[in-house]
Each structure stands twice: as C-alpha cells, then as structure tokens.
Amino acid sequence: MQIRTIANSPPPARDASAIPSAESRRISDDVQQARHTAMSALTNDRFRIMLEQITDPVSSGALMTMRGDNVVDFRSAQSSYADNGG
C-alpha cells in the first residue's frame, strides 16, 4: 500500500497549451460577471416585482397584443424629437 501526502505534493506540471489565453480569461471574466448579475437580479425586490407583473396573465396578454407596425426609423424619430423641442 502506498501512502501519498497530498498537502505537500507539488502541483501537477502544466504544459504551455494549458496556460489560459487572454481570450479564455476574458470569457471566464464574462461568465463570472453574468453569474454575479444573475444572482443580483434574483435577490433584487424591484426585479422580482417586475417579473411577477409581466408573468401575470393579464399583463402578459397586454404585452402580447402590442403591435410593432408603428416602427419609426432613427431619422424620423430624431426629426420628431427636434420638432418637439427635445
């Protein structure tokens, strides 16, 4: 039987391909930020209330019947905003 002391063992050797690239670090950071944001949203009372409101059948029905046929292009919106003293 072989006894191995794990606490004092040197870390396993890593080859050069195992070193994280800048891209993989960026992706890892993005994942961590997304997790943080999700956890924050789950504990945020205002977000919870808003989520309850939009999942209510009456509210979600109103959202579903909103029409998108009154879409305005950017130049028209900008012109209208300028005409109204924006």
Side-chain angles (χ1 to χ4, degrees):
M1 180 170 154
Q2 181 181 10
I3 298 175
R4 183 172 157 190
T5 306
I6 296 174
N8 293 331
S9 298
R14 292 173 43 157
D15 60 46
S17 65
I19 296 172
S21 67
E23 178 71 8
S24 65
R25 282 192 301 273
R26 185 190 62 77
I27 291 170
S28 179
D29 290 346
D30 288 350
V31 169
Q32 282 300 102
Q33 184 61 39
R35 284 186 181 138
H36 174 75
T37 301
M39 290 303 295
S40 177
L42 289 173
T43 58
N44 184 309
D45 284 336
R46 286 178 34 199
F47 180 80
R48 180 187 52 78
I49 292 167
M50 182 272 309
L51 193 57
E52 288 173 359
Q53 289 174 345
I54 64 171
T55 56
D56 176 54
V58 174
S59 298
S60 62
L63 289 172
M64 291 298 291
T65 58
M66 286 184 176
R67 297 174 51 150
D69 57 354
N70 59 349
V71 176
V72 177
D73 66 282
F74 178 74
R75 287 184 194 264
S76 298
Q78 190 176 32
S79 174
S80 178
Y81 184 73
D83 290 345
N84 290 321

